[in-house]
Amino acid sequence: MIHSLRFRLLAGFSIVILVAVGAIYFFASQTAGGEIRRFGERSEEARFSRVVFELHRHYQEQENWEGIQTYVEQWGNLYGREIILTDASGVVVADSQGEQLGEQYHPDSPGMPLSVPWGESIPGTLYINPGPLTGFRHEPPENFPSPLNLLQTVSRFLIWGALLAIALAFLLTFFLSRRILAPVKALTAVARQLGQGDLSQRVHLKDKSEIGEMAQAFNSMAGDLERVEQLRRNMVADAAHELRTPLSNIKGYLEAIRDGLKKPDAESIRSLSEKASLLSRLVDDLQELSLAEAGELRLTRESGDITRLIKQAVASRQTQAEEKGLSVSADLTDKLPPVNIDFHRIGQVLNNLLDNAIAHTGKGGSIKVSAEKRDDRLKVSVTDTGEGIPAEELPNIFERFYRTDKSRTRTTGGSGLGLTIAKRLVEAHNGTIEARSEPGKGSSFTFTLPLED
């Protein structure tokens, strides 16, 4: 559970939510506290300005402080403060607590001298206790809440709001995590089925986000695996077929000689030798292909001109081509740049491509080998005017044992390894090979080789 992706998402979202809500609460409470304190200070200033105004009015009307005690007591009870008024000599003439009347007052802090608005002095000083009065007889009315109480109320609302926000965020995170992880679970289920060998499984998602792109990539991978598996099965079947035919012929000849139906004459021995040679070539091709795919193929590189190699390959296929009524030619520039290659292996590539072109080109056709420099590479092409390759077959022609001619005849199908070996040999030289074809108009196989440094 702790290691599940849902738990990690939920934990991560929860931490982010708590940090965000905590930061909001902290800054909101600090800002609200400061505003409330400033509001309380302004409110108290307004209240006590009213007290000063009433004291001025009373003194102007009475010309003394007689009767002011009643008002001071009311103001003390109303505002929850100890209010003391002294005359010019410092004697207390009014006390909201009523405890120091007539006594000489010794204040801890300076008071507020009273004066009329036009500057005339009034014999008196007002003292107001800065803190709330403890134990006074009446609570202040609700219209005048203290800043502390107001701050506590706001803090309570902030806390409840934060808790509610956290609860809602947790719920949203839970449902969102389920929605986000649903495609991942679908991918996991399909991956398990693929692992169990069911390569036909696909993920069906309409999501256009990164998850949807991952699902498309996953489906593409599954399709590739299914195609590779099908090619593997075809390879096993084709390899068995290729080995079975010469083995059956050899077995038939040997049984006929053993039973006395055929004499071990020169013709029988020659036929057996041809079948054995065919088996040997097929085994050698398979071994060479396995070495190339494993990256263990040894190349003996040397620097030189590829012109001679191309001419030799064309000359070696002249007799075979003439027997089918074909023409084979080389179209080369005056001077090709040198390449650093294994001439034996590249000669093998040319021979395989020429054999393939001769096998699929009808009587009266032509085959041309050309070479030219393209940027930092040498481009070699083998072009024929044969039957061509259907577009749907092109992606598979370099697969082992794959043949566009499904008849598996030796004259048109070959062993099905020539193009695969050619591709691996070119790639071993850090080159590329590709095929372009149009049914009825011929094919062109092109490979590139890096030039000598």
Side-chain angles (χ1 to χ4, degrees), residues 54-130:
E54 293 295 334
L55 289 174
H56 286 159
R57 190 168 63 83
H58 178 85
Y59 190 83
Q60 288 172 356
E61 291 176 356
Q62 302 292 332
E63 294 185 353
N64 56 46
W65 295 116
E66 185 176 351
I68 196 64
Q69 174 63 25
T70 303
Y71 295 108
V72 171
E73 288 180 358
Q74 291 175 357
W75 294 332
N77 289 330
L78 179 64
Y79 301 138
R81 296 288 188 272
E82 182 183 15
I83 301 175
I84 295 177
L85 177 64
T86 63
D87 59 13
S89 61
V91 176
V92 176
V93 296
D95 181 3
S96 60
Q97 296 285 80
E99 297 175 353
Q100 303 183 59
L101 289 173
E103 298 180 1
Q104 188 73 29
Y105 187 63
H106 302 285
D108 295 330
S109 59
M112 184 185 303
L114 303 176
S115 61
V116 295
W118 50 87
E120 182 181 348
S121 297
I122 296 178
T125 303
L126 179 65
Y127 298 92
I128 299 174
N129 190 330

Side-chain angles (χ1 to χ4, degrees), residues 301-342:
R301 295 175 181 266
E302 56 181 314
S303 177
D305 188 357
I306 200 173
T307 302
R308 182 179 177 184
L309 180 64
I310 294 175
K311 290 180 177 180
Q312 287 177 349
V314 170
S316 66
R317 294 299 183 270
Q318 287 289 353
T319 302
Q320 183 181 355
E322 289 174 358
E323 291 177 355
K324 287 192 65 175
L326 307 177
S327 65
V328 182
S329 61
D331 182 13
L332 305 174
T333 59
D334 293 337
K335 187 175 182 180
L336 294 174
V339 289
N340 187 20
I341 58 174
D342 186 328

Side-chain angles (χ1 to χ4, degrees), residues 33 39 68 98 118 122 154 209 265 274 359 397 428:
F39 172 75
I68 196 64
W118 50 87
I122 296 178
V154 171
S209 65
D265 52 15
E274 289 178 355
I397 59 174

Side-chain angles (χ1 to χ4, degrees), residues 7 42 49 56 60 84 134 177 199 206 358 384 396 403:
F7 178 82
R42 289 193 295 269
S49 295
H56 286 159
Q60 288 172 356
I84 295 177
T134 57
S177 64
L199 300 178
K206 297 181 179 179
I358 292 172
D384 63 62
N396 301 319
R403 291 178 298 197

Side-chain angles (χ1 to χ4, degrees), residues 9-215:
L9 282 175
L10 190 60
F13 286 155
S14 301
I15 292 172
V16 172
I17 291 166
L18 289 174
V19 171
V21 172
I24 292 172
Y25 171 77
F26 174 77
F27 288 112
S29 62
Q30 292 294 319
T31 304
E35 290 297 325
I36 289 172
R37 282 190 292 272
R38 284 189 289 273
F39 172 75
E41 292 171 357
R42 289 193 295 269
S43 298
E44 288 205 352
E45 289 176 2
R47 294 171 193 167
F48 296 126
S49 295
R50 180 69 179 176
V51 171
V52 172
F53 175 79
E54 293 295 334
L55 289 174
H56 286 159
R57 190 168 63 83
H58 178 85
Y59 190 83
Q60 288 172 356
E61 291 176 356
Q62 302 292 332
E63 294 185 353
N64 56 46
W65 295 116
E66 185 176 351
I68 196 64
Q69 174 63 25
T70 303
Y71 295 108
V72 171
E73 288 180 358
Q74 291 175 357
W75 294 332
N77 289 330
L78 179 64
Y79 301 138
R81 296 288 188 272
E82 182 183 15
I83 301 175
I84 295 177
L85 177 64
T86 63
D87 59 13
S89 61
V91 176
V92 176
V93 296
D95 181 3
S96 60
Q97 296 285 80
E99 297 175 353
Q100 303 183 59
L101 289 173
E103 298 180 1
Q104 188 73 29
Y105 187 63
H106 302 285
D108 295 330
S109 59
M112 184 185 303
L114 303 176
S115 61
V116 295
W118 50 87
E120 182 181 348
S121 297
I122 296 178
T125 303
L126 179 65
Y127 298 92
I128 299 174
N129 190 330
L133 185 63
T134 57
F136 60 89
R137 293 186 294 273
H138 302 286
E139 293 291 332
E142 294 182 358
N143 292 336
F144 297 95
S146 69
L148 180 60
N149 292 337
L150 186 59
L151 181 58
Q152 291 175 348
T153 303
V154 171
S155 297
R156 263 197 315 273
F157 277 109
L158 284 174
I159 291 173
W160 281 111
L163 293 176
L164 179 61
I166 290 173
L168 292 175
F170 279 151
L171 288 175
L172 288 174
T173 300
F174 178 75
F175 288 111
L176 284 175
S177 64
R178 289 186 62 182
R179 183 177 179 84
I180 292 172
L181 292 178
V184 178
K185 286 189 173 181
L187 282 169
T188 303
V190 173
R192 286 199 183 100
Q193 292 176 329
L194 284 175
Q196 294 171 0
D198 187 1
L199 300 178
S200 64
Q201 293 295 320
R202 298 294 184 272
V203 182
H204 301 287
L205 293 178
K206 297 181 179 179
D207 196 336
K208 295 183 179 180
S209 65
E210 289 81 358
I211 297 291
E213 293 179 2
M214 183 172 67

Side-chain angles (χ1 to χ4, degrees), residues 373-394:
K373 180 181 180 297
R374 282 288 181 87
D375 298 329
D376 60 342
R377 289 181 173 270
L378 182 70
K379 177 181 174 183
V380 182
S381 299
V382 177
T383 306
D384 63 62
T385 59
E387 61 193 29
I389 304 170
E392 64 273 12
E393 305 282 355
L394 275 175

Side-chain angles (χ1 to χ4, degrees), residues 349 422-433 447-449:
V349 172
K423 182 175 186 295
R424 297 295 185 267
L425 292 177
V426 170
E427 290 176 345
H429 285 80
N430 298 323
T432 60
I433 187 170
F447 65 90
T448 62
L449 298 170

